[in-house]
Amino acid sequence: MLSLPRTIEYVDGKVRLINQLKLPSKLEYIETSDWKRVAEAIKKMEIRGAPAIGVAAAMALALAVREIRTENLSEAFSYLKSVADALISTRPTAVNLSWAVKRVLKVAENAKSIDELVKKVEEEALKIWREDEETNRKLGEIGAKLLDDGDTVMTICNAGSLATSYYGTATAPIYKALEEGKRVRVIALETRPYLQGARLTAWELSKAGVDVVIATDNQMGIIMEKENVSIVFVGADRITIKGYVANKIGTYPLALVAKEHGVPFYPVAPMSTIDPGSKTGEDIEIERRPSSEVLYISGARIAPEGVDAIYYAFDVTPPKFITGIVTERGILYPPFEKSIRNALRGLDE
Ligand code: MRU
């Protein structure tokens, strides 16, 4: 059985989350009853990963609603709405964030009293947290069928347990395969500049007993040639209705290299990552982060003074490079517009 620390929990009116900026050297928690501290944690990437920031935002609303002192329900709701807007603005690319916030606001709308509002918001936040793990376990069951004993999986960033409430998305098939007794080796791309692969994926996979090795991002071509990669699993921050997948920077070149070498490439994501409101990559806001995150490593400048850096934090993989998308409703195959629409309608694929 997998035994990893919980990424985020809601206990006695407080949110407790792993400070992922401290990993792998320290397992340190942030504990707060202040929704603004949770918003800050999302912004600073102390918690990151599309489903995890959705859960964190939902729990932040549960903290905010406890601060309400008015008896006027519409005033209370407007306050909650302003907190929701602030949370949504923390990070733009992952749709799971606004999805979770909107889900909580929807149940809040039906409250008939302040007490009921507090209760409903808290219950919904916890439901989103619980469902996230359940969904990931389904992703694991479905995705593990793509893995054979002895396979090598390549992945980028961290779409693991740390990026979700538990079990991960891209890691779910790996954890399930491990539970089934299959031996699977993982090559984790280090993921410049935040190093989620080297710091986080390698940390949780090794803790879980998975055979994991790290490679710098720029080795993806040669590794695909020489290391017998069986399959690529990646996470996703937003999937459009036509099957364009926004994910951590480097995912798109990884898909190109995989295609060139005939290696199957699968994003693994919950249905909540699908954004029915976007069609292609042009509809997705790509987060651009401060160039200092590229120019400095552990506080030391690695580039000449006066030279700036470009930093797109995500890229978009077009559907023609994607073999299939593993969701809790099954594996969606091309043509994606049809399979995605069917899955959204809840039809069997
Ligand atoms: O910038 P991050 O670390 O939040 O980016 C995370 C990713 O790109 C993940 O692959 C994605 O959120 C899916 S997590 C299950």
Side-chain angles (χ1 to χ4, degrees), residues 188-309:
L189 290 171
E190 69 170 354
T191 323
R192 266 279 286 157
Y194 244 77
L195 308 180
Q196 291 96 326
R199 293 190 302 108
L200 308 176
T201 303
W203 181 80
E204 66 166 84
L205 288 179
S206 58
K207 233 177 157 41
V210 177
D211 177 8
V212 58
V213 68
I214 296 160
T216 54
D217 302 347
N218 48 10
Q219 292 181 75
M220 61 174 74
I222 191 82
I223 284 178
M224 210 64 88
E225 248 174 59
K226 300 219 181 262
E227 292 287 323
N228 243 332
V229 178
S230 327
I231 193 164
V232 177
F233 284 137
V234 297
D237 283 80
R238 194 179 290 247
I239 301 174
T240 75
I241 205 82
K242 287 178 179 283
Y244 287 77
V245 174
N247 191 50
K248 182 51 52 191
I249 194 68
T251 304
Y252 173 34
L254 178 57
L256 291 173
V257 172
K259 179 90 176 178
E260 177 65 19
H261 289 271
V263 173
F265 177 93
Y266 288 89
V268 185
M271 292 295 296
S272 55
T273 307
I274 295 171
D275 174 12
S278 61
K279 287 195 170 73
T280 67
E282 284 174 19
D283 301 325
I284 302 175
E285 187 184 347
I286 299 295
E287 180 179 10
R288 295 192 71 170
R289 296 189 59 88
S291 57
S292 57
E293 292 178 6
V294 173
L295 294 169
Y296 291 82
I297 294 182
S298 303
R301 192 174 171 101
I302 56 158
E305 291 296 338
V307 178
D308 207 356

Side-chain angles (χ1 to χ4, degrees), residues 20 42 45 47-53 91 94 96 132 136 139 155-164 168-171 191 194 196 199-200 234-238 246-249 251 268-270 273 287 289 311 313-314:
Q20 300 192 25
I42 299 172
M45 292 176 66
I47 184 161
R48 30 63 52 205
I53 60 178
R91 294 197 70 194
N96 311 61
D132 185 45
N136 295 339
L139 295 175
T155 190
I156 188 163
C157 193
N158 173 262
S161 192
L162 286 165
T164 64
T169 64
T171 54
T191 323
Y194 244 77
Q196 291 96 326
R199 293 190 302 108
L200 308 176
V234 297
D237 283 80
R238 194 179 290 247
N247 191 50
K248 182 51 52 191
I249 194 68
T251 304
V268 185
T273 307
E287 180 179 10
R289 296 189 59 88
Y311 183 8
F314 296 91

